[in-house]
Amino acid sequence: MIYLSALVLSMFITIAIIPITIDLASKYRAIDLPGGRKIHDRPIPKCGGVAMILGALLPILLWTPGGPFIHSILIGSWIII
């Protein structure tokens, strides 16, 4: 049951953060412009991964026991992002 609640919380956080990251991406011009071999016909924000990691981070911090292993996993994830 704890995994389901973590999944649902992560999903709602990600859904709530996506509009904020889209606005920030537009403000700071972090967008993918159409052209060449791209199939989209309007500028698309490049920020979906940021919203997903922020949505996954809170349930991980809430429901995992804090230890050096979890901290090293989180630090490694932030380096990759």
Side-chain angles (χ1 to χ4, degrees), residues 22 25-26 30-34 39-47:
I22 288 173
S26 298
I31 54 177
D32 189 24
L33 299 173
I39 60 171
H40 54 276
D41 57 353
R42 60 184 173 86
I44 302 292
K46 296 190 281 186
C47 60

Side-chain angles (χ1 to χ4, degrees), residues 3 6 17-18 21 24 29 33 40 45 50 55 63-64 66 68 71 73 76:
Y3 296 119
I17 291 176
I18 284 176
T21 57
L24 287 174
R29 301 202 188 276
L33 299 173
H40 54 276
V50 174
W63 283 298
T64 57
H71 292 154
I73 294 292

Side-chain angles (χ1 to χ4, degrees), residues 53-76:
I53 192 64
L54 291 175
L57 182 66
L58 185 62
I60 289 172
L61 292 175
L62 286 176
W63 283 298
T64 57
F69 180 72
I70 295 298
H71 292 154
S72 64
I73 294 292
L74 292 175
I75 290 170

